[in-house]
Amino acid sequence: FGSQEWRALDEQYGAGLIGSRECLGDEWELIDGSEAALRAAAREVPLDPGFGDLVRSLQAAGAEVTVVSDGFGFYVEEACAPVGVDVLTNAVDFDAGELGFPHENWCCPCSTCGMCKQAPIKDARHRGMTTVLVGDGISDRKAALLADVVFAKDQLRDWCERAGVAHRRFDDLDEVRAALLGS
């Protein structure tokens, strides 16, 4: 839905040359597609089949579960709605054609993320909760530095291994559920 310029932005973000807020904002400007087309394309992306079971099992065990995404947001909220999980993410205003960052954190030392993933971890730890991060991407790195337990795959796993961040490898969410709940 946009020009190939997004690849250069993604590379700059991956290299740490720009933050996610700048990357996402610039990528959003490149998108040329209707709301209906974007939502339809997002629905085609498969979720991990264990997502619903993991969320329901954790909620049944009394855990607070929140999906924290530093993406465009609309597709995350739609994907999470069937399981009733809280979502913190960026916000697209399709009527205005704008991407907003309602959870950016100007008090964070980096203050470059669209969705500061450290903030909900800091909040939960302040309330005396054990924090668990299940992640796979570049935007999870800073949160991985704070979480009590980190489950990592793909880009996050590779980064954790290079950076010496303690983590548990996983390939699918059924593995995470088994590790956390023994089922």
Side-chain angles (χ1 to χ4, degrees), residues 11 26 35 44 56 60 64 76 88 90 100 129 141 145 166:
E11 287 176 17
D26 289 349
E35 177 179 0
E44 296 297 318
R56 286 185 289 273
E64 290 181 19
V76 178
L88 296 174
N90 303 313
M129 309 209 42
R141 291 176 180 177
L145 295 171

Side-chain angles (χ1 to χ4, degrees), residues 64-114:
E64 290 181 19
V65 181
T66 304
V67 171
V68 182
S69 172
D70 199 12
F72 293 134
F74 67 91
Y75 52 87
V76 178
E77 292 166 340
E78 188 171 309
C80 291
V83 294
V85 65
D86 292 333
V87 176
L88 296 174
T89 188
N90 303 313
V92 171
D93 180 340
F94 282 103
D95 292 332
E98 296 176 351
L99 175 65
F101 302 101
H103 303 286
E104 64 189 332
N105 185 349
W106 291 102
C107 296
C108 182
C110 84
S111 68
T112 62
C113 299

Side-chain angles (χ1 to χ4, degrees), residues 12-67:
Q12 291 174 22
Y13 172 59
L17 300 174
I18 60 174
S20 67
R21 190 175 338 118
E22 180 178 352
C23 179
L24 289 167
D26 289 349
E27 286 178 341
W28 181 253
E29 294 298 319
L30 298 173
I31 292 177
D32 182 23
S34 69
E35 177 179 0
L38 291 170
R39 288 186 184 278
R43 284 187 208 104
E44 296 297 318
V45 177
L47 292 178
D48 184 303
F51 174 68
D53 289 340
L54 173 62
V55 170
R56 286 185 289 273
S57 296
L58 288 170
Q59 289 171 331
E64 290 181 19
V65 181
T66 304
V67 171

